[in-house]
């Protein structure tokens, strides 16, 4: 049989016609790497293609307005704040028209069921775009992210600019605040660093556990 599929343009939501091309895309990286910007870019393109979209974010993320997702660049789109992955399913079930693109920001703050929920949605034909921190401030894989990364068809790792060296940064170093894994903050609390700068910076916090090795 002839293959009628057109070549796949990477990241192009226009290839996702709403005809049931379910998949999981994960956008990850440290703080300030442009994850939210990239999520918003993909959602906007899906909207240009007239695809019904919803952006969810966890109630743990108390920065900015609770009714929108905002990047550090002050880019924003309306969003729905939910407590859990179960609440995402309940919200989608309550919609009168089918949603073909589901975007989830700050995915690392969700419960352990999020990867399974995303896989279930993708199985049903939904394009799931999840953005989140791959590592916590100690350099340890963050919450449900490893499983989500494993289940995803496509993973985009972004880098921020290292505040010590100006090079691509993969780590989010906490410069103020306690030792809890979840500590909501901005530039006052976190700076992106390269591995080398991160290792050096962590040596100056002798009271804390070393990062995962
Ligand atoms: P994330 O969601 O990954 O935290 P955002 O998409 O919200 O990131 O913000 C990315 C924006 O943050 C960049 O476009 C830039 O304007 C700004 N920014 C501030 N500090 C940095 C940095 N150290 N490296 C890269 N971008 C930075
Ligand atoms: Mg973000």
């Amino acid at each position: 049989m002839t293959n009628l599929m057109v070549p796949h343009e990477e990241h192009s939501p226009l290839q996702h016609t709403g005809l049931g091309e379910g998949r999981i895309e994960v956008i990850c990286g440290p703080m300030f790497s442009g994850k939210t910007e990239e999520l918003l870019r993909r959602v906007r393109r899906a909207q240009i293609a007239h695809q019904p979209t919803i952006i969810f974010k966890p109630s743990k993320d108390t920065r900015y307005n609770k009714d929108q997702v905002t990047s550090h660049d002050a880019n924003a789109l309306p969003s729905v704040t939910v407590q859990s992955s179960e609440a995402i399913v309940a919200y989608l079930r309550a919609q009168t028209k089918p949603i073909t693109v589901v975007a989830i920001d700050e995915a690392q703050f969700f419960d352990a069921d999020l990867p399974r929920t995303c896989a279930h949605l993708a199985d049903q034909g939904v394009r799931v775009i999840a953005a989140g921190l791959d590592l916590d401030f100690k350099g340890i894989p963050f919450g449900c992210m490893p499983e989500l990364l494993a289940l995803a068809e496509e993973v985009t790792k972004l880098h921020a600019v290292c505040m010590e060296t100006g090079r691509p940064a993969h780590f989010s170093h906490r410069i103020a605040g306690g030792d809890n894994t979840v500590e909501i903050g901005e530039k006052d609390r976190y700076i992106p660093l390269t591995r080398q700068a991160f290792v050096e910076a962590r040596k100056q916090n002798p009271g804390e556990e070393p990062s995962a090795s």
Side-chain angles (χ1 to χ4, degrees):
M1 207 172 102
T2 324
N3 184 357
L4 296 175
M5 293 283 284
V6 291
H8 183 84
E9 184 202 333
E10 211 181 11
H11 303 323
S12 170
L14 294 171
Q15 295 293 333
H16 302 270
T17 57
L19 298 175
E21 202 180 331
R23 61 197 230 120
I24 303 175
E25 298 164 30
V26 175
I27 304 162
C28 64
M31 289 189 69
F32 305 104
S33 61
K35 300 181 298 297
T36 300
E37 258 173 19
E38 177 60 18
L39 178 117
L40 293 174
R41 188 185 78 87
R42 292 186 196 184
V43 168
R44 280 209 185 91
R45 288 173 63 99
Q47 289 173 346
I48 290 168
H50 304 292
Q51 295 174 0
T53 60
I54 294 190
I55 308 178
F56 292 100
K57 69 173 185 177
S59 47
K60 263 186 201 165
D61 183 14
T62 51
R63 301 169 304 164
Y64 308 113
N65 187 324
K66 89 171 179 31
D67 299 321
Q68 62 183 40
V69 160
T70 311
S71 74
H72 293 112
D73 238 7
N75 236 314
L77 279 180
S79 65
V80 176
T81 298
V82 284
Q83 298 264 2
S84 62
S85 49
E86 205 183 322
I88 294 179
V89 175
Y91 191 93
L92 292 172
R93 273 213 193 103
Q95 298 303 300
T96 47
K97 60 173 186 180
I99 301 297
T100 54
V101 180
V102 168
I104 302 165
D105 200 16
E106 304 291 352
Q108 79 281 351
F109 286 156
F110 276 91
D111 49 279
D113 279 344
L114 185 74
R116 212 158 9 129
T117 300
C118 292
H120 185 59
L121 290 173
D123 291 350
Q124 291 179 321
V126 175
R127 177 183 174 207
V128 180
I129 309 169
L133 291 165
D134 37 13
L135 300 174
D136 68 14
F137 78 104
K138 291 182 177 174
I140 297 171
F142 209 136
C144 62
M145 290 301 285
E147 197 178 339
L148 194 55
L149 286 161
L151 287 168
E153 269 92 343
E154 184 186 298
V155 172
T156 305
K157 279 220 177 206
L158 299 176
H159 298 94
V161 176
C162 172
M163 298 313 285
E164 293 286 338
T165 65
R167 301 175 73 175
H170 179 50
F171 295 86
S172 309
H173 178 56
R174 186 181 286 171
I175 51 174
D179 197 36
N180 295 331
T181 305
V182 178
E183 197 79 59
I184 306 295
E186 288 289 318
K187 282 184 173 157
D188 54 331
R189 290 218 171 149
Y190 296 95
I191 52 167
L193 295 178
T194 59
R195 182 180 297 277
Q196 293 73 17
F198 182 72
V199 169
E200 281 307 311
R202 299 272 311 155
K203 280 184 193 159
Q204 285 154 31
N205 290 330
E208 288 178 2
E209 293 292 308
S211 63
S213 54

